Amino acid sequence: METMQTIDFSFHVRKCQPELIAPANPTPYEFKQLSDVDDQQSLRLQLPFVNIYPHNPSLEGRDPVKVIKEAIGKALVFYYPLAGRLREGPGRKLFVECTGEGILFIEADADVSLEEFWDTLPYSLSSMQNNIIHNALNSDEVLNSPLLLIQVTRLKCGGFIFGLCFNHTMADGFGIVQFMKATAEIARGAFAPSILPVWQRALLTARDPPRITVRHYEYDQVVDTKSTLIPANNMIDRLFFFTQRQISTLRQTLPAHLHDCSSFEVLAAYVWRLRTIAFQLKPEEEVRFLCVVNLRSKIDIPLGFYGNAIVFPAVITTIAKLCGNPLGYAVDLIRKAKAKATKEYIKSMVDFMVIKGRPRFTEIGPFMMSDITRIGFENVDFGWGKAIFGGPIIGGCGIIRGMISYSIAFMNRNGEKGIVVPLCLPPPAMERFRANVHASLQVIQVLDKVDRDMQTILSAL
């Protein structure tokens, strides 16, 4: 069963000049400090996401651009720090100057209908990136620039695409969806968001004095002696779709003690292993898996907090062990990474940022995967209903381009549920990865058929 199609889907988009949307009412002028999790080097980037909405016949005549644009201004009254600008103070400490200048907004029209590319979703999305999230002049800078860029693109059919690029230091995935939902509630007629925003970045500020009590492999500054650094240029983006049945069959190939693992754990292990094989590096070299862990269930964080409440615990192994062992080895490692996110680990990581000067992730042999299936991008409803796709469409950007992927919930046109995984790799590695996925899924398909045949035989006895 093929999981990926290479589709170069192109269409013309007419974009209006970018404009600033300021809060609809006056907001406080003040300075607000970010947390010591927010301002680490690896989060100093703009992260793009896309929501796609079909035509809703009951809203004939309503303009999504006008509705959303107006709702953004009203939502920014509550989320006024997002209308400010990021500044850097002593010790590379970040803070927001709440200037009320506003966010960047782009109105656009596409000469295509959703029907023309619905059947190719999500594969066609990466080739649409530049059309549906316009990189306006200087909008990708972290400091002294708009903290959000939103492009709403009308489709010929009456549907639309909501593209958003946000400054990651200001919010994580849960935080930005909270803002999107607040905007959506106002677009549907609410006077205020049902969940009010909470700043309280001091919750994730270093202890006094700070102290590192845990080993943080994710921030090891390793010297690249073997030229294993992934080249940032000449990379291609592809999306892979794995059905729930394929993931379930993959899980059945694991040892019995791992059959309770999550879909994310087995798929992350599978992608990490095949991605590592595709790079064809030396067996003795080290690789790391960084697991994105949401802290909202780990420590006392108030409802409405929209800052970065995530940590990235890592495990380390060699290429020989990762690629030479069955899939269960990688699943075990990923579970160990997740288990590292204890309260003490979290405190140590925050202190580490201050002591070590807010370093970036290790650049040698890392791979990170984030499970965004529970964040709820696709559930954001501006009045036209839920999105048929919601999430990132490329495998990382900025300083983490190529080292991060995501687990995104998706249901195709046939009603088949599964997970989309975007990857960014050099072309030769991408081709090897694609070939290995195709070959392994053919084996999985055979195993699945054998299992179903056995079930049929047993039920007939």
Side-chain angles (χ1 to χ4, degrees):
M1 187 181 297
E2 189 65 75
T3 59
M4 187 197 81
Q5 302 167 37
T6 302
I7 297 171
D8 293 320
F9 185 82
S10 60
F11 55 95
H12 182 261
V13 173
R14 183 188 64 80
K15 299 167 187 166
C16 296
Q17 282 298 313
E19 57 184 306
L20 287 171
I21 300 181
N25 299 323
T27 54
Y29 176 80
E30 58 187 358
F31 295 89
K32 298 179 88 70
Q33 199 169 72
L34 271 64
S35 79
D36 287 319
V37 174
D38 291 326
D39 59 11
Q40 58 185 292
Q41 182 62 40
S42 294
L43 297 185
R44 298 184 183 208
L45 50 84
Q46 304 279 357
L47 209 54
F49 288 80
V50 166
N51 275 21
I52 300 177
Y53 296 91
H55 172 55
N56 185 334
S58 67
L59 294 175
E60 199 71 54
R62 286 201 82 191
D63 180 7
V65 170
K66 183 176 183 296
V67 170
I68 293 171
K69 186 176 173 181
E70 188 175 314
I72 289 168
K74 293 177 179 177
L76 286 174
V77 174
F78 300 92
Y79 285 86
Y80 65 89
L82 292 178
R85 297 294 181 264
L86 205 61
R87 316 295 189 204
E88 189 176 61
R92 303 184 69 235
K93 186 68 197 167
L94 296 180
F95 60 92
V96 184
E97 183 180 355
C98 299
T99 61
E101 289 173 76
I103 70 157
L104 267 181
F105 182 85
I106 298 163
E107 174 183 347
D109 289 279
D111 65 350
V112 68
S113 67
L114 180 54
E115 288 292 326
E116 292 175 62
F117 63 90
W118 194 327
D119 287 334
T120 68
L121 286 174
Y123 312 112
S124 55
L125 288 176
S126 58
S127 62
M128 295 161 61
Q129 164 87 5
N130 292 332
N131 273 332
I132 54 184
I133 307 180
H134 179 59
N135 183 12
L137 184 65
N138 295 327
S139 66
D140 56 353
E141 295 295 325
V142 172
L143 299 176
N144 312 314
S145 292
L147 298 171
L148 276 178
L149 180 149
I150 293 174
Q151 177 176 324
V152 180
T153 306
R154 301 181 192 92
L155 301 173
K156 276 196 314 185
C157 56
F160 64 95
I161 300 174
F162 178 93
L164 178 144
C165 203
F166 71 99
N167 189 312
H168 204 337
T169 64
M170 291 294 292
D172 58 14
F174 283 94
I176 205 63
V177 166
Q178 184 181 304
F179 170 75
M180 288 168 65
K181 286 183 174 177
T183 304
E185 286 178 320
I186 292 170
R188 298 198 310 271
F191 291 104
S194 56
I195 298 173
L196 292 174
V198 172
W199 186 260
Q200 290 190 28
R201 306 294 169 113
L203 289 169
L204 292 167
T205 299
R207 296 172 285 198
D208 187 17
R211 54 193 183 276
I212 301 168
T213 56
V214 176
R215 176 68 190 276
H216 297 280
Y217 289 107
E218 58 273 31
Y219 298 106
D220 283 351
Q221 300 306 299
V222 183
V223 178
D224 185 20
T225 57
K226 302 186 179 75
S227 299
T228 56
L229 193 63
I230 300 173
N233 54 359
N234 193 27
M235 305 273 275
I236 56 172
D237 292 284
R238 293 286 181 266
L239 290 96
F240 295 77
F241 178 59
F242 300 90
T243 66
Q244 285 184 338
R245 180 177 284 279
Q246 288 171 335
I247 296 168
S248 178
T249 308
L250 261 179
R251 189 185 288 111
Q252 293 305 311
T253 67
L254 300 173
H257 75 282
L258 293 176
H259 282 181
D260 65 338
C261 74
S262 67
S263 293
F264 169 75
E265 288 167 343
V266 66
L267 192 54
Y270 174 79
V271 171
W272 180 32
R273 189 169 175 272
L274 290 190
R275 176 185 177 276
T276 304
I277 290 170
F279 274 114
Q280 296 185 333
L281 301 173
K282 294 178 181 176
E284 69 274 11
E285 290 174 19
E286 289 182 338
V287 285
R288 289 165 171 75
F289 184 89
L290 283 65
C291 194
V292 184
V293 178
N294 176 24
L295 303 183
R296 287 164 178 81
S297 61
K298 302 279 184 183
I299 57 177
D300 188 20
I301 290 178
L303 183 69
F305 181 85
Y306 62 101
N308 286 286
I310 45 176
V311 289
F312 312 91
V315 284
I316 188 168
T317 187
T318 63
I319 289 174
K321 288 179 181 176
L322 178 63
C323 303
N325 278 298
L327 184 61
Y329 174 79
V331 174
D332 261 328
L333 282 178
I334 288 171
R335 287 186 141 190
K336 286 174 183 172
K338 290 171 73 174
K340 284 184 175 185
T342 61
K343 287 184 178 179
E344 183 55 39
Y345 170 92
I346 294 163
K347 291 175 182 175
S348 175
M349 177 266 181
V350 175
D351 292 356
F352 184 96
M353 284 297 120
V354 173
I355 293 171
K356 298 293 186 179
R358 315 183 200 288
R360 66 177 64 199
F361 300 129
T362 179
E363 296 180 355
I364 309 302
F367 180 60
M368 178 193 308
M369 197 152 163
S370 179
D371 182 5
I372 66 166
T373 58
R374 294 177 178 85
I375 292 181
F377 279 96
E378 69 283 2
N379 294 326
V380 176
D381 178 5
F382 295 103
W384 280 258
K386 292 183 179 181
I388 60 167
F389 177 89
I393 58 176
I394 57 172
C397 57
I399 54 179
I400 58 171
R401 180 158 168 76
M403 69 169 278
I404 186 169
S405 186
Y406 307 90
S407 171
I408 308 165
F410 180 68
M411 182 169 69
N412 66 19
R413 192 75 178 272
N414 301 322
E416 201 171 22
K417 290 183 178 179
I419 300 292
V420 169
V421 177
L423 270 185
C424 176
L425 295 171
M430 183 66 81
E431 179 52 34
R432 287 190 289 268
F433 180 85
R434 188 209 62 78
N436 288 339
V437 166
H438 184 52
S440 64
L441 289 184
Q442 284 187 316
V443 174
I444 287 170
Q445 196 173 2
V446 170
L447 290 173
D448 183 47
K449 185 178 185 306
V450 169
D451 182 60
R452 279 184 286 168
D453 289 345
M454 285 297 296
Q455 294 297 327
T456 303
I457 293 168
L458 290 171
S459 63
L461 294 176

